[in-house]
């Protein structure tokens, strides 16, 4: 995934008018269009005067606050966002802004303190924020306009934001997480439902349904509230996703909500960030949340992580680099003149990188905790207590701040005051009276002992040790993708699927990737290039596990592995690839009469469904639709070319064959015209599914019930399979149910799900044909696909197996024309020639299609450059 360049360096606050009459903001039953919002922003910006001045804003979730915020950003006036509480006045006194905009009854009331600024303001400075909600300190984060724009674009991209989205403001604008929701939605022309209602208020959910809210943001505490109000049983048909950040969410809760979202048709995006990175640094892809609930995920588009060793610790510090990194800190007004002083962000978090390429936080280097999204400095807690005349030592987790207090004090009153100063809920502060602060032998406070005082339990960090981080290797993965997919510009965050990879190019990429890494990482087609490049390297001949799970068990399914002497002879190959190669040999051999083994074409139909689920169901509805049509075109074009040639030079085919319509327009039953039945019906299925899933209701249903949806297709085809309804299928019979079974196999994540799909197969396949051997072949092939992700294949056969699998479609359509040219008595030669001809056609057609696509991309790039130049002119 790459950050779209047209969104970088262009202030979203200055281009609001481009979205015209689309609704930008709804609040209290009133709607404001983008055009009207742009006018209000422009008027407010003019009121600031022609010279740059430092503006402070008491930000609320009101239209007036949003207008002032956007006016400052669009006019280049640095904006200091004041936190709620007493800390606001401390910042005003420390930085002496030229204009202070106060919040009063939903309005923004400006206080112009001087006409000419006394501050030296750096040209890049756009925004000043308190560090993740910290209070009692004048330390601020300095952010540039480019950082705000870059992070908004990255968030919009990985959330797949679109103009039809509407986000409810469940977090305050003064909090960088809440601000990022505003920025990313206004960037793409989406809508904001401005509200201060809590999620425990029934009015909030009435508003969400009435406004067709598609998303809302949550911190860990929000999920406590959601359970309190029975969120699981709510009917929210428009909800598309929930985001979570602001601290570590318990892994069990991550898994529970991820699975809830899968059932109900929405996604859970677990995210990680800091104010110092404008907002977001990482996100966990929703399809990984249930399996990896401990992870923070992968870097946001345009960003990257590295792990830096920490002296004296086994774990490494997580260091982030990206265009959204802050300029630096400000601790006094003179610092506002500074430009960029850092290029990477040392997060202070200890992390590790798993074999799946997902990062996980395992502890903190510094003494900070994050509670309800606010970062609390435990040292500052001790200083605040000292100012109250209390001798104390503080520890904490992401749930609670715990302090041991010496002497006799009114602890409830002190705890209440401390919670107010920190800006956290009263329940998140625990004070315990002790005779003496527990200390280590070196005299330092025993913080683990302090934390043990907490009634809420231990810190969530598990302290697991990191393994040795793999060293970065040359860009082998990038070059593989570039050559296989004919792509010139591949970013670190691109994946095989996002670059347009499908089942036809998957084989070549996977085989070359295996040669590079020594094994195939599970789910590699969805892993960003930068993560694959850092994957552990195992030389050829060494067995490699793609996870930390016990040998032979991965994600609940057995894995074929090789051990001992077998490693020198055998190596794992993905089952789908091996089945495609075996099936095409059996199909050609059976048609020629070299030997007879029927049923493998039907196995290929199940493999087609399996690959459809893996490659064609990623992204938004529009992205899916375009990808599915492109996949159909890559099947239709080479097939029609050969069938058209056969129609021209022989009398064996009709126009119905050329247009792949013989099952609908040709004679009923099996005839010579039915030879291309597999291609024809596969295209019909793919086109039908593309149209079906383009319907919003069907798209939502598939996302909500990813396993039940393909099983419903199986059920829909059973009346045709068992001849309860007449059909015009050729003699091979209906096959949508096999395609659906393959799709269901790909969606089966757990042992019980695979057992259920196995039961469906056992109930349907044996009765599908009168020939028990054909049915047995189909059943065996499908169960292998379902239960064995890899097969042990002799190393010497890997290359030819991959070649046959890649060219299987082309072999199928050409062999009908090739084998009649050979002596009927030399069937082995006819088989070999048919396979070779199909491989040659595959190679030529692949190059031709790639050349055409490159030209089309080049023309689109040229037209885009003309448009950009015209706009600049």
């Amino acid at each position: 995934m790459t950050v779209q360049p047209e969104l970088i360096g262009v202030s979203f606050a200055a281009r609001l008018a481009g979205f015209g009459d689309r609704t930008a903001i709804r609040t209290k039953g009133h709607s404001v269009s983008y055009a009207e919002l742009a006018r209000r922003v422009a008027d407010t910006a003019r009121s600031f005067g022609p010279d740059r001045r430092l503006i402070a804003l008491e930000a609320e979730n009101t239209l007036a606050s949003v207008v002032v915020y956007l006016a400052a950003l669009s006019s280049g006036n640095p904006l200091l966002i004041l936190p709620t509480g007493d800390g606001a006045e401390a910042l005003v006194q420390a930085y002496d802004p030229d204009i202070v905009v106060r919040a009063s009854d939903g309005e923004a009331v400006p206080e112009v303190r001087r006409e000419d600024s006394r501050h030296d303001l750096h040209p890049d400075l756009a925004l000043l924020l308190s560090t993740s909600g910290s209070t009692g300190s004048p330390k601020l984060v300095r952010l540039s306009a480019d950082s705000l724009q870059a992070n908004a674009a990255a968030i919009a991209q990985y959330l797949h934001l679109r103009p039809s989205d509407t986000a409810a403001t469940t977090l305050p604008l003064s909090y960088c997480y809440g601000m990022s929701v505003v920025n990313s939605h206004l960037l793409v022309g989406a809508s904001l439902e401005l509200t201060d209602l809590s999620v425990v208020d029934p009015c909030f959910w009435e508003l969400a349904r009435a406004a067709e809210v598609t998303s809302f943001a949550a911190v860990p505490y929000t999920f406590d509230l959601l359970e309190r109000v029975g969120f699981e049983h709510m009917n929210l048909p428009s909800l598309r996703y929930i985001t979570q950040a602001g601290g570590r969410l318990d892994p069990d809760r991550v898994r529970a909500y991820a699975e809830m979202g899968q059932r109900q048709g929405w996604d859970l995006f677990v995210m990680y960030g800091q104010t110092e990175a404008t907002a977001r640094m990482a996100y966990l892809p929703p399809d990984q949340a249930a399996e990896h609930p401990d992870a923070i995920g992968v870097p946001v588009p345009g960003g990257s992580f590295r792990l830096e060793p920490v002296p004296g610790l086994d774990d490494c510090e997580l260091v982030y680099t990206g265009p959204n990194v802050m300029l630096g800190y400000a601790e006094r007004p003179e610092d506002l003149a500074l430009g960029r002083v850092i290029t990477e962000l040392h997060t202070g978090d200890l992390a590790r990188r798993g074999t799946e390429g997902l990062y996980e936080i395992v502890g903190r280097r510094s003494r900070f905790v994050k509670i309800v999204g606010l970062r609390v400095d435990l040292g500052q807690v001790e200083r605040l207590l000292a100012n109250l005349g209390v001798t104390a030592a503080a520890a904490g987790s992401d749930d609670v701040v715990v302090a041991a207090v010496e002497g006799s004090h009114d602890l409830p009153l002190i705890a209440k005051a401390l919670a107010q100063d920190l800006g956290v809920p009263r329940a998140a502060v625990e004070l315990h009276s002790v005779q003496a602060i527990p200390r280590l032998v070196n005299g330092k406070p025993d913080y683990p002992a302090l934390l043990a005082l907490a009634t809420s339990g231990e810190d969530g960090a598990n302290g697991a040790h990191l393994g040795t981080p793999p060293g970065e290797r040359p860009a082998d993965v990038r070059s593989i993708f570039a050559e296989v997919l004919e792509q010139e510009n591949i970013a670190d965050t691109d994946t095989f699927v996002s670059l347009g990879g499908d089942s036809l190019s998957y084989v070549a990429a996977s085989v070359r990737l295996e040669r590079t890494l020594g094994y195939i990482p599970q789910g590699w087609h969805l892993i960003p290039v930068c993560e694959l490049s850092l994957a552990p390297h195992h030389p050829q001949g060494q067995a490699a596990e793609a996870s930390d799970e016990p040998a032979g068990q991965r994600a609940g399914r057995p894995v074929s592995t090789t051990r001992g002497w077998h490693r020198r002879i055998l190596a794992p190959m993905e089952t789908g690839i091996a089945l495609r190669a075996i099936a095409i040999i059996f199909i050609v051999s059976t048609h020629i009469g070299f030997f007879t083994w029927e049923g493998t074409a039907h196995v290929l139909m199940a493999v087609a469904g399996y690959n459809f689920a893996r490659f064609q169901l990623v992204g938004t509805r529009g992205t899916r639709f375009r990808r599915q049509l492109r996949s159909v075109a890559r099947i239709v074009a080479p097939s029609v070319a050969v069938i058209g040639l056969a129609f021209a030079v022989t009398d064996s085919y009709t126009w119905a064959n050329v247009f792949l319509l013989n099952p609908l327009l040709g004679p009923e039953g099996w005839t010579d015209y039915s030879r291309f039945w597999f291609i024809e019906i596969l295209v019909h299925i793919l086109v039908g599914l593309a149209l079906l899933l383009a319907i919003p209701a069907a798209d939502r249903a598939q996302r909500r019930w990813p396993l039940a949806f393909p099983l419903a297709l199986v059920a829909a085809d059973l009346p045709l399979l068992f001849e309860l309804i007449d059909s015009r299928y050729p003699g091979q019979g209906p096959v949508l149910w096999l395609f659906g079974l393959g799709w269901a196999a790909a969606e089966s994540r757990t042992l019980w799900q695979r057992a259920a799909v196995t039961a469906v197969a056992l109930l349907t396949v044996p009765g599908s044909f009168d020939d028990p051997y054909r049915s047995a072949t189909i059943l065996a092939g499908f169960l292998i696909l379902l239960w064995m992700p890899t097969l042990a294949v002799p190393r010497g056969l890997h290359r030819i197996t991959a070649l046959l699998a890649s060219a299987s479609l082309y072999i199928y359509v050409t062999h009908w024309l090739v084998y009649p040219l050979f002596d009927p008595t030399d069937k082995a030669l006819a088989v070999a020639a048919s396979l070779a001809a199909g491989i040659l056609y595959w190679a030529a057609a692949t190059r031709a299609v790639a050349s055409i696509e490159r030209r089309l991309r080049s023309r689109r790039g040229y037209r885009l450059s003309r448009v950009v130049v015209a706009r600049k002119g």
Side-chain angles (χ1 to χ4, degrees):
M1 210 173 352
T2 58
V3 178
Q4 300 174 30
E6 67 271 23
L7 299 182
I8 300 299
V10 178
S11 173
F12 58 87
R15 57 192 288 262
L16 300 170
F19 295 110
D21 293 331
R22 293 195 60 83
T23 299
I25 293 174
R26 300 186 188 93
T27 180
K28 298 180 180 179
H30 176 63
S31 296
V32 177
S33 69
Y34 271 92
E36 174 61 20
L37 180 62
R39 284 192 291 271
R40 296 191 186 197
V41 168
D43 291 342
T44 303
R46 281 192 292 272
S47 72
F48 295 153
D51 299 321
R52 293 182 82 215
R53 292 193 279 182
L54 178 62
I55 302 171
L57 170 65
E58 289 183 349
E60 293 183 334
N61 288 358
T62 62
L63 177 59
S65 285
V66 173
V67 168
V68 173
Y69 169 70
L70 295 172
L73 293 183
S74 64
S75 61
N77 288 286
L79 182 66
L80 167 58
I81 298 293
L82 299 175
T84 57
D86 295 335
E89 288 307 314
L91 286 175
V92 170
Q93 292 179 15
Y95 284 90
D96 191 21
D98 303 308
I99 301 175
V100 178
V101 182
R102 307 283 185 180
S104 176
D105 296 326
E107 297 298 323
V109 180
E111 175 192 332
V112 180
R113 308 177 75 179
R114 65 186 63 86
E115 292 297 331
D116 297 320
S117 178
R118 65 176 58 177
H119 297 286
D120 185 5
L121 304 172
H122 192 276
D124 291 341
L125 181 62
L127 193 65
L128 294 163
L129 297 175
S130 297
T131 57
S132 293
S134 60
T135 60
S137 170
K139 188 175 184 179
L140 299 173
V141 170
R142 297 183 293 114
L143 298 173
S144 69
D146 287 345
S147 293
L148 288 166
Q149 186 75 14
N151 204 228
I155 293 169
Q157 188 168 348
Y158 71 73
L159 291 180
H160 305 292
L161 294 184
R162 51 206 183 204
S164 58
D165 281 327
T166 299
T169 55
T170 49
L171 299 172
L173 180 63
S174 58
Y175 176 27
C176 74
Y177 184 11
M179 185 180 296
S180 71
V181 174
V182 173
N183 297 348
S184 56
H185 280 70
L186 294 181
L187 178 84
V188 301
S191 300
L192 296 168
E193 185 70 41
L194 288 182
T195 178
D196 282 322
L197 292 173
S198 168
V199 295
V200 298
D201 191 331
C203 295
F204 175 84
W205 300 109
E206 293 175 8
L207 178 68
R209 282 185 281 268
E212 296 184 338
V213 166
T214 58
S215 69
F216 63 89
V219 296
Y221 182 63
T222 308
F223 292 89
D224 292 334
L225 303 179
L226 292 178
E227 292 186 1
R228 187 183 306 172
V229 299
F231 172 77
E232 182 177 6
H233 306 293
M234 290 184 179
N235 179 29
L236 300 168
S238 62
L239 185 63
R240 200 163 67 82
Y241 66 87
I242 299 173
T243 61
Q244 183 273 317
R248 182 177 184 268
L249 186 62
D250 182 78
D252 289 337
R253 185 166 281 180
V254 171
R255 181 181 292 109
Y257 275 84
E259 292 175 348
M260 184 191 305
Q262 291 175 357
R263 293 192 302 271
Q264 298 182 0
W266 49 264
D267 290 325
L268 174 67
F269 283 87
V270 175
M271 308 186 300
Y272 167 77
Q274 293 179 3
T275 307
E276 289 84 345
T278 309
R280 303 275 68 81
M281 289 184 284
Y283 73 100
L284 181 61
D287 59 351
Q288 302 273 9
E291 294 186 17
H292 303 281
D294 292 297
I296 62 169
V298 298
V300 299
S304 62
F305 285 131
R306 67 179 178 87
L307 297 174
E308 180 173 289
V310 179
L313 294 178
D314 294 325
D315 298 317
C316 296
E317 182 179 8
L318 189 65
V319 181
Y320 175 79
T321 303
N324 52 311
V325 171
M326 66 176 178
L327 299 171
Y329 290 109
E331 299 189 68
R332 53 182 183 168
E334 291 77 10
D335 293 340
L336 304 184
L338 298 177
R340 180 170 294 281
V341 296
I342 66 169
T343 56
E344 58 180 12
L345 179 62
H346 288 254
T347 65
D349 289 322
L350 303 177
R352 66 185 176 192
R353 182 177 177 277
T355 54
E356 296 284 342
L358 304 176
Y359 288 87
E360 179 182 349
I361 302 299
V362 297
R364 286 190 174 88
R365 181 175 182 176
S366 56
R367 298 192 63 235
F368 288 88
V369 294
K370 226 171 189 181
I371 297 176
V372 294
L374 302 177
R375 191 166 67 181
V376 177
D377 182 350
L378 296 175
Q380 180 72 5
V381 171
E382 294 174 352
R383 291 190 290 272
L384 289 172
L385 290 172
N387 291 338
L388 296 174
V390 176
T391 300
S397 68
D398 283 346
D399 298 311
V400 66
V401 171
V402 184
V405 178
E406 292 183 350
S408 178
H409 300 279
D410 186 348
L411 295 187
L413 180 61
I414 293 174
K416 181 178 180 180
L418 181 61
Q420 290 176 344
D421 286 340
L422 296 175
V424 301
R426 168 63 185 84
V429 174
E430 287 186 22
L431 302 185
H432 297 267
S433 180
V434 296
Q435 290 185 349
I437 295 173
R439 298 184 182 275
L440 302 172
V441 293
N442 59 9
K444 295 182 178 181
D446 185 352
Y447 290 115
L450 295 181
L451 194 58
L453 298 173
T455 58
S456 58
E458 295 291 324
D459 191 354
N462 58 26
H465 296 297
L466 287 176
T468 303
E472 185 171 2
R473 297 187 304 282
D476 297 321
V477 174
R478 193 185 308 275
S479 62
I480 289 171
F481 284 9
E483 294 173 15
V484 171
L485 300 175
E486 297 287 343
Q487 296 278 2
E488 297 178 358
N489 299 315
I490 296 180
D492 286 344
T493 48
D494 281 331
T495 68
F496 176 80
V497 173
S498 73
L499 290 169
D502 57 17
S503 61
L504 297 178
S505 51
Y506 178 81
V507 180
S510 64
V511 171
R512 294 188 58 182
L513 189 63
E514 182 183 2
R515 288 204 298 267
T516 298
L517 300 179
Y519 73 109
I520 294 292
Q522 187 178 14
W524 67 266
H525 56 296
L526 299 175
I527 298 175
V529 170
C530 59
E531 305 295 339
L532 276 178
S533 297
L534 294 174
H537 182 263
H538 300 279
Q540 289 286 350
Q542 295 182 10
E545 298 297 335
S547 74
D548 294 328
E549 297 175 25
Q553 184 75 22
R554 184 176 303 145
R557 66 190 293 174
V559 177
S560 302
T561 58
T562 55
R563 293 288 185 262
W565 63 270
H566 294 89
R567 300 175 186 170
R568 297 190 298 269
I569 302 174
L570 304 174
M573 171 172 275
E574 290 205 22
T575 299
I577 297 174
L579 288 177
R580 285 167 66 178
I582 295 170
I584 196 60
I585 293 174
F586 279 42
I587 290 169
V588 172
S589 298
T590 297
H591 290 169
I592 294 176
F594 184 53
F595 62 79
T596 299
W597 195 311
E598 297 183 329
T600 53
H602 293 79
V603 174
L604 277 186
M605 188 61 70
V607 173
Y610 185 83
N611 286 329
F612 176 83
R614 298 176 75 192
F615 302 113
Q616 306 301 327
L617 298 179
V618 178
T620 63
R621 188 169 70 251
T623 301
R624 286 179 171 189
F625 186 70
R626 290 188 294 271
R627 180 177 286 121
Q628 289 159 9
L629 292 186
R630 180 175 180 269
S631 178
V632 170
R634 295 188 66 183
I635 296 173
V636 170
S639 301
V640 169
V642 172
I643 299 171
L645 175 64
F647 173 75
V649 300
T650 73
D651 296 325
S652 301
Y653 306 100
T654 69
W655 281 109
N657 292 118
V658 176
F659 291 104
L660 304 181
L661 296 174
N662 186 69
L664 301 176
L665 303 180
E668 295 187 25
W670 179 264
T671 69
D672 287 345
Y673 300 140
S674 305
R675 290 173 177 173
F676 295 104
W677 73 268
F678 181 92
I679 302 295
E680 293 164 337
I681 295 179
L682 177 59
V683 168
H684 297 174
I685 290 174
L686 293 177
V687 171
L689 287 175
L691 296 175
L692 175 63
L693 294 176
I695 301 172
D699 178 71
R700 287 194 298 269
Q702 186 277 319
R703 295 176 190 272
R704 180 174 296 183
W705 301 292
L707 179 58
F709 194 91
L711 290 179
L713 296 180
V714 175
D717 205 31
L718 291 183
L720 297 177
L721 174 65
F722 294 108
E723 299 181 349
L724 300 178
I725 299 175
D726 292 334
S727 74
R728 286 186 52 84
Y729 279 93
Q732 297 294 338
V735 291
L736 175 62
W737 65 281
L738 274 173
F739 186 95
L741 277 179
W743 181 347
E747 296 290 359
S748 299
R749 311 294 186 187
T750 67
L751 178 66
W752 290 108
Q753 288 176 337
R754 279 186 289 281
V757 174
T758 299
V760 174
L762 291 174
L763 291 172
T764 54
V765 176
S768 58
F769 290 97
D770 295 333
D771 182 356
Y773 296 104
R774 174 183 286 191
S775 297
T777 296
I778 298 170
L779 182 61
F782 173 73
L783 293 180
I784 290 172
L785 180 69
L786 174 64
W787 288 98
M788 301 179 68
T790 61
L791 296 175
V793 176
R795 292 184 179 278
L797 296 179
H798 267 227
R799 182 164 297 184
I800 186 60
T801 302
L803 196 60
L804 289 169
S806 298
S808 56
L809 168 71
Y810 301 81
I811 294 171
Y812 182 88
V813 296
T814 57
H815 82 283
W816 295 108
L817 296 181
V818 174
Y819 79 81
L821 302 177
F822 291 84
D823 189 338
T825 61
D826 199 346
K827 300 184 184 302
L829 179 60
V831 170
S834 297
L835 298 178
I839 291 172
L840 291 175
Y841 181 45
W842 162 76
T846 301
R847 286 183 173 83
V849 170
S851 176
I852 293 171
E853 291 180 346
R854 280 197 304 270
R855 291 180 181 179
L856 291 176
R857 285 196 297 268
S858 176
R859 290 181 180 178
R860 284 196 298 268
Y862 174 74
R863 287 196 297 268
L864 179 60
S865 67
R866 292 285 300 273
V867 171
V868 171
V869 170
R871 288 178 176 175
K872 289 183 177 180

